[in-house]
Amino acid sequence: MEEPSKFAIHEAARDGRTSVVESLLAANPKLGERRDDDERLPIHWAVSYGHLDIAILLANLKNFDPDIQDGSGWTPLMIAASLKEGEDLVNLFLRKEADVNAKNFSGQTVLHFVASKKNIDLARRLLDNKPPASARVKDKRGQYAIHRAAAVGSVPMVELLLKNKSPLNATDIAGQTPLHHAVAEGHGKSLSASSSF
């Protein structure tokens, strides 16, 4: 008989096996706080694979911390916001009062990821959150979310970030402004045609 994995709950959370997660938690609720070899908790795996039902189970544990970071500093909210179909997961963590301005180990916030994905609706929600996401957070490369929005050519995102006090001509550690990033990625024409630049 094969010995059960010491990370069985992580595997079940990743694979979407809700009943296994439930039974493991019933036997030992502390398993929800166990880190695997990648410094991830079961919640990180459940969110990465879009398993809302498992994420809800784990988020309802007594000592759940919505800002718990994995080995790269990513919170469940950051992971959820990076998913194509992560809206329900994002809602879960916002209801749990996740910090919308938490930084990963590269200094990026959830707004950096949302800007990269051109997710304007989620950006609006984060900027309207109480407390709001800040458009004035630089990552370790000296980039604001607006650098990301410009690099992917999202005029609506750039305009939204500017309305929320993002600096327009800030340079990153390489001396590049958002417009430089737009031009480098082939989006200079569409962004420079915008009234924002």
Side-chain angles (χ1 to χ4, degrees):
M1 188 167 157
E2 191 177 319
E3 189 176 312
S5 164
K6 68 178 181 174
F7 300 124
I9 192 166
H10 297 76
E11 294 163 10
R14 181 193 63 218
D15 297 341
R17 292 180 286 143
T18 308
S19 60
V20 173
V21 172
E22 279 177 322
S23 62
L24 288 168
L25 289 173
N28 182 0
K30 289 274 187 206
L31 289 176
E33 300 171 35
R34 179 179 283 173
R35 291 186 177 272
D36 67 10
D37 294 335
D38 294 319
E39 287 296 305
R40 296 185 110 196
L41 275 68
I43 189 76
H44 296 113
W45 287 109
V47 175
S48 293
Y49 286 85
H51 300 305
L52 178 64
D53 51 344
I54 295 173
I56 290 169
L57 273 174
L58 294 164
N60 286 331
L61 291 173
K62 185 178 172 191
N63 294 325
F64 177 70
D65 176 1
D67 300 318
I68 191 77
Q69 294 178 303
D70 68 10
S72 298
W74 283 57
T75 65
L77 178 61
M78 290 174 188
I79 297 168
S82 297
L83 298 175
K84 194 171 189 166
E85 304 283 327
E87 187 176 337
D88 290 336
L89 286 161
V90 167
N91 292 336
L92 171 65
F93 300 120
L94 291 178
R95 282 194 308 273
K96 293 287 183 179
E97 300 180 1
D99 181 356
V100 296
N101 291 305
K103 295 179 180 181
N104 68 11
F105 298 157
S106 298
Q108 299 150 338
T109 67
V110 69
L111 202 54
H112 285 86
F113 306 122
V114 170
S116 294
K117 303 281 184 186
K118 301 183 186 182
N119 191 337
I120 193 83
D121 293 333
L122 181 51
R124 282 191 190 100
R125 288 203 41 230
L126 293 169
L127 292 163
D128 290 340
N129 192 62
K130 302 292 181 223
S134 173
R136 300 182 64 81
V137 177
K138 277 196 277 191
D139 66 15
K140 289 188 175 176
R141 293 182 299 178
Q143 294 181 2
Y144 293 92
I146 196 169
H147 285 88
R148 296 267 186 111
V152 297
S154 179
V155 172
M157 185 71 73
V158 165
E159 290 173 347
L160 177 65
L161 292 169
L162 288 172
K163 281 184 203 158
N164 285 275
K165 301 186 172 107
S166 176
L168 173 59
N169 292 313
T171 56
D172 61 18
I173 60 172
Q176 304 294 304
T177 66
L179 187 55
H180 287 120
H181 284 273
V183 169
E185 298 298 327
H187 303 295
K189 202 172 218 161
S190 60
L191 282 176
S192 60
S194 162
S195 58
S196 302
F197 282 97

